Amino acid sequence: MSICIADLFCGIGGVSEAVRHWHAPTNSNGGPAVSHAADSGPNVVTAIDIDQSVTALYAQNHGISPRCCTIESLRNVATNETGPIDIWWMSPPCQPYTARGFRRGSADPRSQALARLIQLLPRELPTLLGLENVPAFRGSQHHHELKSVLTGCGYVIREYLICPTDWGIPMRRKRFYLLASRDPTSISELTPAPVTYALNDFVDETAWNDESLIVDRQFWSRYESAISIVDVDDPNAITSCFTSAYGKSPVRSGSYLRCRARNQIRRFSADEIAALMGFRQGFFSSCDLRQRSRYRLIGNSLPVHVIRELLKSLLPDDCIDPVHCFPAAVVR
Ligand SMILES: C[S@@+](CC[C@H](N)C(=O)[O-])C[C@H]1O[C@@H](n2cnc3c(N)ncnc32)[C@H](O)[C@@H]1O
């Protein structure tokens, strides 16, 4: 048995990736910190997503098959198969809260799944809860409703705006995070990392040989002033946020990489973006998803190092394997 996590809106499993290699928590008496935890640390026991295309990749990398269903159709998060759930991790769709999605909030049908979870919360009362969304989620009706239900049920709440650059990762992805705990003393301070990583540490030299990534001169001269270009040998380079539209929409979907010595500009590969996001080396290598789908899935996912630090702040110190606290950043 372990600390059981429900990965809600699981996508490709940023949460599962964040809890790889952790070991068991104990409380000050040496016993398990969470009701039924015993000896193997946090562990995703159920993952749910509407998107069938994530199932095989999730199962290959994390060892469990997500349930493919809508969250609004759930009668419970915990089932007979999962047993009680300790942590709900929720990363609901962000479109209802963004300008691109017209900020329709609770009037947007894509927000109904979160509304359902807010409804189920007082019945199931997970010990801990985490939520990730775009900064514009803050102040939305669902934000207020979630906080009001959590406070009413006796949870303490912490909120953050965090960018991976706070942990030395050369990629912008500022996001809103909410953590909640039923134990008023349990959420510890977050401490930004004392190291920074160079972009070059995440670059795969062999990707320069991939023709599908190379941007031709016509594209380059047409969009040069509108796109973010980072230089492979610039030690201070920081990429813009990679979105699910990378590879489809030429602008505002993520940075391009330039190598002056080769006189070439190319897209980042999905595996390079996955490495910047904190996923293991070759995360996509064993799957048969097309490049466009890989970009979509990684662009929707979570920065694993940030999630790991947030979970670390929710769980007792001795739950963390120090070897894996820091980003497994350098891939090659
Ligand atoms: C922001 S992404 C979350 C990414 C994920 N946590 C990860 O680490 O890759 C939102 C996810 O919610 C899923 N989704 C959207 N609406 C849903 C619904 N009504 N029920 C279940 N899943 C839904 C999408 O397919 C998408 O994978």
Side-chain angles (χ1 to χ4, degrees):
M1 295 249 294
S2 65
I3 295 178
C4 298
I5 304 178
D7 185 359
L8 303 165
F9 311 93
C10 68
I12 58 173
V15 174
S16 277
E17 194 69 2
V19 299
R20 285 176 83 211
H21 307 302
W22 284 21
H23 58 66
T26 52
N27 63 22
S28 51
N29 306 319
V34 175
S35 53
H36 56 286
D39 58 7
S40 64
N43 194 22
V44 171
V45 294
T46 183
I48 305 177
D49 202 289
I50 197 175
D51 180 356
Q52 205 166 8
S53 76
V54 299
T55 312
L57 184 63
Y58 198 109
Q60 259 164 34
N61 282 305
H62 307 305
I64 67 166
S65 280
R67 282 163 70 190
C68 184
C69 66
T70 66
I71 282 174
E72 38 298 30
S73 69
L74 292 181
R75 298 182 65 186
N76 310 89
V77 173
T79 61
N80 287 342
E81 290 87 64
T82 65
I85 303 283
D86 298 303
I87 306 180
W88 283 12
W89 187 277
M90 320 193 287
S91 18
C94 60
Q95 296 90 338
Y97 316 103
T98 62
R100 251 186 206 184
F102 307 110
R103 291 215 176 95
R104 291 167 63 214
S106 48
D108 186 323
R110 290 169 289 192
S111 71
Q112 289 316 300
L114 176 59
R116 176 65 182 150
L117 291 173
I118 297 174
Q119 216 176 39
L120 290 176
L121 194 51
R123 237 170 48 204
E124 299 204 26
L125 296 177
T127 312
L128 305 164
L129 176 144
L131 169 133
E132 176 265 0
N133 215 279
V134 289
F137 177 81
R138 203 165 51 157
S140 66
Q141 188 187 331
H142 280 140
H143 178 216
H144 290 307
E145 277 175 23
L146 176 62
K147 278 175 68 162
S148 152
V149 168
L150 286 168
T151 310
C153 294
Y155 287 81
V156 286
I157 299 170
R158 299 264 184 285
E159 297 182 328
Y160 311 89
L161 278 178
I162 302 177
C163 183
T165 53
D166 301 336
W167 269 275
I169 309 299
M171 175 190 68
R172 293 202 171 83
R173 194 179 182 86
K174 192 188 254 186
R175 289 291 182 267
F176 170 78
Y177 297 94
L178 180 150
L179 300 182
S181 168
R182 292 176 67 203
D183 172 356
T185 60
S186 73
I187 308 179
S188 58
E189 291 297 313
L190 289 176
T191 20
V195 290
T196 54
Y197 297 88
L199 182 64
N200 206 2
D201 293 339
F202 299 85
V203 169
D204 174 5
E205 274 303 305
T206 65
W208 291 104
N209 305 326
D210 182 345
E211 286 292 319
S212 71
L213 298 176
I214 304 293
V215 165
D216 64 33
R217 275 176 200 286
Q218 216 182 347
F219 177 95
W220 179 351
S221 45
R222 182 161 174 211
Y223 292 109
E224 195 175 5
S225 59
I227 59 180
S228 152
I229 302 176
V230 287
D231 284 302
V232 67
D233 50 5
D234 175 358
N236 301 314
I238 296 179
T239 73
S240 58
C241 179
F242 293 97
T243 74
S244 57
Y246 195 61
K248 181 179 172 200
S249 164
V251 295
R252 285 193 289 276
S253 58
S255 295
Y256 294 76
L257 187 64
R258 173 165 52 202
C259 176
R260 290 181 193 276
R262 295 172 190 267
N263 196 25
Q264 277 185 327
I265 296 187
R266 67 167 171 86
R267 287 188 190 85
F268 285 80
S269 70
D271 268 323
E272 287 172 317
I273 301 171
L276 280 161
M277 294 279 271
F279 284 80
R280 74 195 77 165
Q281 180 176 355
F283 185 80
F284 286 105
S285 58
S286 55
C287 78
D288 55 6
L289 290 167
R290 296 195 354 220
Q291 188 185 62
R292 179 70 203 92
S293 302
R294 296 175 189 209
Y295 284 141
R296 178 175 59 77
L297 294 173
I298 195 64
N300 268 337
S301 193
L302 302 172
V304 171
H305 12 68
V306 174
I307 305 304
R308 195 178 289 136
E309 293 297 321
L310 289 167
L311 289 172
K312 199 171 125 187
S313 81
L314 273 179
L315 296 169
D317 287 352
D318 53 0
C319 179
I320 310 298
D321 179 347
V323 173
H324 294 100
C325 286
F326 256 69
V330 181
V331 286
R332 292 173 183 88

